[in-house]
Amino acid sequence: MSTVTASTSTVAASLRRLYFVRFGFALVWAGLLAVTASGLGPVSVALLVLYPLFDGVAAIVDARSSKATGSALSLYANIAVSWATAIGLAFAAGSGVPAVLRVWGAWAVVSGLIQLAVGVIRRHLGGGHWPMIISGAISTVAGTSFVLQAAQQSASLVSLAGYATLGGLFFLASALRLGRVTRGR
């Protein structure tokens, strides 16, 4: 096995573990938000702030484990955007669900574009990043829909649970596809 192949396999294995964790977190988070999404209570606000904080921490782990992929700068941008979003959500919660949807929507657009860029940069790691490319594109569209939903009378947090679930499924797909790289295929 060449050094490049061994390095790629090591990065893929690390990312695979991270993606499985992100999948599990997204599903648990979505379930908890769905149960508490009827309003902006302490639990739902804590969950809303927790999601982008977790995304930032996951990006740190990702950047450390995959410096050789050339995607670290994009990941550092994602960390900053995610943590700024957590702060923004904490403040937006005081203004109601529409404000939360606007902040979340803006974050989904920006982080979706970053995820799309990271996926494109990492195409050489095998097919494991095609789901991330697709997910980034979908996140951008979903973010726009959250901003539009904020203007409607029926604005609700429930759609965020669906967004997280779909994102988690894309992380699962990436993890499974990266399994081929870790097995040397």
Side-chain angles (χ1 to χ4, degrees), residues 98-123:
V100 167
L101 288 172
R102 284 184 197 97
V103 172
W104 191 283
W107 175 53
V109 169
V110 173
S111 66
L113 291 171
I114 292 170
Q115 184 178 22
L116 182 66
V118 170
V120 168
I121 291 166
R122 292 181 174 169
R123 285 185 327 268

Side-chain angles (χ1 to χ4, degrees), residues 8-24 62 65-66 122 125 128-129 171-183:
T8 299
S9 182
T10 302
V11 170
S14 178
L15 291 174
R16 186 170 193 249
R17 286 188 299 274
L18 176 63
Y19 292 168
F20 277 129
V21 169
R22 292 193 74 169
F23 162 70
D62 191 333
S65 66
S66 61
R122 292 181 174 169
L125 288 177
H129 284 85
F171 277 114
L172 175 62
S174 282
L176 294 173
R177 291 183 61 104
L178 283 172
R180 289 188 214 155
V181 175
T182 62
R183 290 187 299 272

Side-chain angles (χ1 to χ4, degrees), residues 47-64:
L47 286 168
L48 290 168
V49 171
L50 177 64
Y51 197 92
L53 287 176
F54 179 84
D55 188 66
V57 170
I60 290 171
V61 172
D62 191 333
R64 287 183 178 166

